[in-house]
């Protein structure tokens, strides 16, 4: 795992340029997120905590497909359940017994939930929940905090809002996390028209004391539906998500990513009162309830129920996070690199002469990649990663941070970039 070269990736990227707009199906997986020319672009296979690229290079996979692979690639329990289901059919012309069984299990799993609807992507779940909240309240405005997917109602608030009518975008207002006054002001400014407060209950930082309780109280007071978007927190902070960790119950919650350990499935759960709205609204698609996702999710719950997955994933991730922070300090890089997040999900936050630290981030990725680490600038540890993976990564970071410190001192950061500089998916406003 050292000094990789990427001729095949380069050839395939050339082909993709004339074939696939954006050259990726998911911006955060595309070539703009890794230093072009010195990084892999296309993957071929993965196993456990590793991924292989089109040139046959092997990497420790820390981004893990942007989070779904909590149990790791090719988890045997999930694969067996999916294989068994393949033999029994994937898609049906009737609702299935399997979807009903999973719905029952989820209602038992989450004490505040009485009803369940399935989707495929996280965006299905968040957009379905938002539509249900609008129908339930007869109101239009949505207050949001975090990232919630590709649909008009949310993406209109970002800088990648092409194709979203302004009339649509204006109905959604973002609010800052851990700032209860800001939420209170927005609710007051849109008094009587807020259908939902939708938020990631925790992003990288924990809620301040009483924050989520106060959000809950404000939403209730203003007659707005409270939706927790647990696409990331779903099974990384607690097996019951934010409710399990912080004890605050939303009216609806959305889970995706880790629910199927990579097999596409998402879910909206919630109270009977609000969820009954799904009887009326249009939330319906060909692959809703497809049995591969349902089988995978059942297997994921089996593993979570029987094994200490979350404690182990968090502990391993914590050793990587703490070890990385120690190395940052050892190399006197504290003014340039900070660690943000928790064991099972954390970021290296780069700052530098360029406003957003992109030069430093690019160099970090370029150099870590040479040591066989798929370096996205963040780690989503899985149950399949090992202590050896952590130690290998930390040894590599020791060398990388040493180089970065030297180049910062010599003022030669830019000239050491051998690939193209990485770019933000969302432009700075
Ligand atoms: C918190 C959160 N919500 C929703 C989504 C959208 O999920 P998907 O990309 O599966 O549609 C994401 C995706 O990254 C997410 O992180």
């Amino acid at each position: 795992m050292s000094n990789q070269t990427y001729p095949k990736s380069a050839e395939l990227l050339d082909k993709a340029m004339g074939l696939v707009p954006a050259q990726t199906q998911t911006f955060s997986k595309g070539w703009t997120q890794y230093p072009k020319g010195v990084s892999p672009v296309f993957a071929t296979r993965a196993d456990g905590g590793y991924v292989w690229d089109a040139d046959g290079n092997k990497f420790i996979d820390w981004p893990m497909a942007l989070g779904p692979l909590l149990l790791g690639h090719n988890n045997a329990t999930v694969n067996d359940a999916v294989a068994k289901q393949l033999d029994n059919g994937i898609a049906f012309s009737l609702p299935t017994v399997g979807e009903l069984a999973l719905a029952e299990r989820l209602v038992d799993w989450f004490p505040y939930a009485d009803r369940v609807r399935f989707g495929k992507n996280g965006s299905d779940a968040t957009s379905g929940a938002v539509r249900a909240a609008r129908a339930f309240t007869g109101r239009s405005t949505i207050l949001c905090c975090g990232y919630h997917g590709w649909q008009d109602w949310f993406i209109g608030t970002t800088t990648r809002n092409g194709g979203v009518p302004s009339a649509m975008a204006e109905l959604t207002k973002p609010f800052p996390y851990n700032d209860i006054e800001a939420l209170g002001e927005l609710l007051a400014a849109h008094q009587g028209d807020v259908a939902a407060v939708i938020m990631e209950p925790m992003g990288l930082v924990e809620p301040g004391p009483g924050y989520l309780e106060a959000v809950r109280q404000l939403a209730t007071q203003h007659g707005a539906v409270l939706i927790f978007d647990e696409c990331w927190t779903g099974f990384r902070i607690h097996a019951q998500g934010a409710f399990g960790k912080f004890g605050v119950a939303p009216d609806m919650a959305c889970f995706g990513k880790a629910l199927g350990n990579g097999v596409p499935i998402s879910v909206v759960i919630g109270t009977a009162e609000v969820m009954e709205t799904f009887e009326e609204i249009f939330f319906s698609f060909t692959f809703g309830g497809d049995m591969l996702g349902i089988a995978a999710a059942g297997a994921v719950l089996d593993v979570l129920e029987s094994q200490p997955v979350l404690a182990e994933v968090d502990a391993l991730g914590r050793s990587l996070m703490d070890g990385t922070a120690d190395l940052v300090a050892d190399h006197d890089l504290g003014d340039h690199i900070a660690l943000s997040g928790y064991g099972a999900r954390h970021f290296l936050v780069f700052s530098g002469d360029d406003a957003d630290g992109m030069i430093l981030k690019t160099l970090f990725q370029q150099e870590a990649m040479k040591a066989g680490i798929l370096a996205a600038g963040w780690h989503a540890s899985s149950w399949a990663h090992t202590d050896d993976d952590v130690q290998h990564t930390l040894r590599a970071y020791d060398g990388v941070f040493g180089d970065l410190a030297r180049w910062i001192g010599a003022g030669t950061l830019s000239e050491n970039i051998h690939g193209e500089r990485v770019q933000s998916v969302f432009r700075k406003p």
Side-chain angles (χ1 to χ4, degrees):
M1 291 199 288
S2 66
N3 294 325
Q4 337 271 16
T5 57
Y6 307 99
K8 190 75 187 165
S9 264
E11 189 190 316
L12 292 171
L13 182 57
D14 271 352
K15 186 192 276 193
M17 288 286 179
L19 197 59
V20 179
Q23 299 78 54
T24 176
Q25 312 306 320
T26 314
F27 271 122
S28 303
K29 298 180 183 177
W31 62 266
T32 60
Q33 302 308 296
Y34 297 93
K36 182 167 167 253
V38 292
S39 306
V41 182
F42 293 95
T44 51
R45 72 186 181 94
D47 191 40
Y50 306 106
V51 59
W52 284 259
D53 73 3
D55 289 283
N57 301 309
K58 178 183 178 185
F59 296 87
I60 301 175
D61 185 355
W62 287 118
M64 292 302 266
L66 313 180
L69 291 146
L70 183 64
L71 305 181
H73 296 284
N74 291 337
N75 174 268
T77 309
V78 176
N79 279 14
D80 286 352
V82 169
K84 196 165 147 210
Q85 189 58 51
L86 272 173
D87 286 341
N88 286 320
I90 303 167
F92 295 82
S93 321
L94 297 170
T96 61
V97 173
E99 75 191 50
L100 208 54
L102 183 62
E104 253 184 320
R105 196 155 175 206
L106 288 167
V107 164
D108 287 345
W109 195 276
F110 295 97
Y112 60 88
D114 312 305
R115 301 284 188 275
V116 177
R117 283 296 304 265
F118 296 109
K120 297 306 295 173
N121 293 286
S123 301
D124 298 344
T126 55
S127 302
V130 160
R131 182 173 294 168
R134 282 179 163 151
F136 179 72
T137 57
R139 300 170 174 184
S140 302
T141 300
I142 303 296
L143 307 185
C144 72
C145 178
Y147 174 79
H148 306 294
W150 74 274
Q151 300 278 8
D152 284 4
W153 74 266
F154 169 71
I155 217 67
T157 67
T158 72
T159 52
R160 238 184 231 282
N161 57 1
V164 181
S166 56
M168 182 78 208
E170 278 156 19
L171 294 175
T172 305
K173 308 284 178 200
F175 64 93
Y177 190 69
N178 262 342
D179 183 345
I180 199 67
E181 276 83 34
L183 177 61
E185 282 164 20
L186 268 178
L187 281 161
H190 298 275
Q191 183 80 35
D193 193 47
V194 177
V197 173
I198 177 168
M199 66 186 300
E200 291 186 69
M202 176 176 157
L204 294 175
V205 293
E206 292 218 356
Y211 174 66
L212 288 180
E213 290 83 350
V215 170
R216 170 70 278 180
Q217 201 181 354
L218 271 181
T220 305
Q221 189 184 317
H222 285 264
V225 174
L226 179 60
I227 305 167
F228 281 171
D229 176 351
E230 303 237 34
C231 284
W232 264 106
T233 48
F235 311 143
R236 273 183 194 270
I237 62 168
H238 192 281
Q240 290 175 322
F243 173 78
K245 176 122 175 124
F246 305 117
V248 176
D251 300 304
M252 287 192 276
C254 307
F255 292 81
K257 293 198 190 274
L259 180 60
N261 199 52
V263 184
I265 180 166
S266 61
V267 70
V268 189
I269 59 174
T271 63
E273 190 189 11
V274 180
M275 291 288 295
E276 285 295 323
T277 316
F278 278 88
E279 296 277 354
E280 301 301 329
I281 64 168
F282 199 84
F283 183 75
S284 168
F285 27 84
T286 306
F287 294 123
D290 102 276
M291 274 309 296
L292 295 189
I294 301 279
V300 167
L301 297 184
D302 287 346
V303 178
L304 291 182
E305 218 163 40
S306 60
Q307 304 290 332
V309 173
L310 301 188
E312 292 183 11
V313 170
D314 199 66
L316 184 125
R318 173 59 61 183
S319 70
L320 179 57
M321 181 176 175
D322 290 348
T324 305
D326 288 348
L327 289 170
V328 167
D330 290 350
H331 289 282
D332 216 8
L333 285 169
D335 288 344
H336 304 276
I337 305 173
L339 272 292
S340 179
Y342 49 99
R345 183 191 182 207
H346 53 267
F347 281 64
L348 287 83
V349 182
F350 297 88
S351 47
D353 289 343
D354 57 329
D356 47 13
M358 283 303 191
I359 292 179
L360 211 53
K361 182 168 190 256
T362 302
L363 277 169
F364 163 79
Q365 292 181 264
Q366 168 186 295
E367 296 304 310
M369 219 81 75
K370 288 180 187 167
I373 295 160
L374 187 64
W378 50 280
H379 307 133
S381 50
S382 82
W383 203 41
H385 285 106
T386 65
D387 282 335
D388 278 355
D389 297 331
V390 172
Q391 294 316 319
H392 176 96
T393 302
L394 292 176
R395 273 195 305 278
Y397 287 180
D398 197 9
V400 173
F401 291 163
D403 287 339
L404 294 184
R406 217 157 21 83
W407 295 333
I408 289 170
T412 57
L413 282 177
S414 288
E415 57 214 69
N416 279 292
I417 294 182
H418 303 305
E420 273 181 32
R421 206 189 289 189
V422 295
Q423 303 164 31
S424 294
V425 171
F426 296 104
R427 290 183 308 278
K428 291 272 182 301

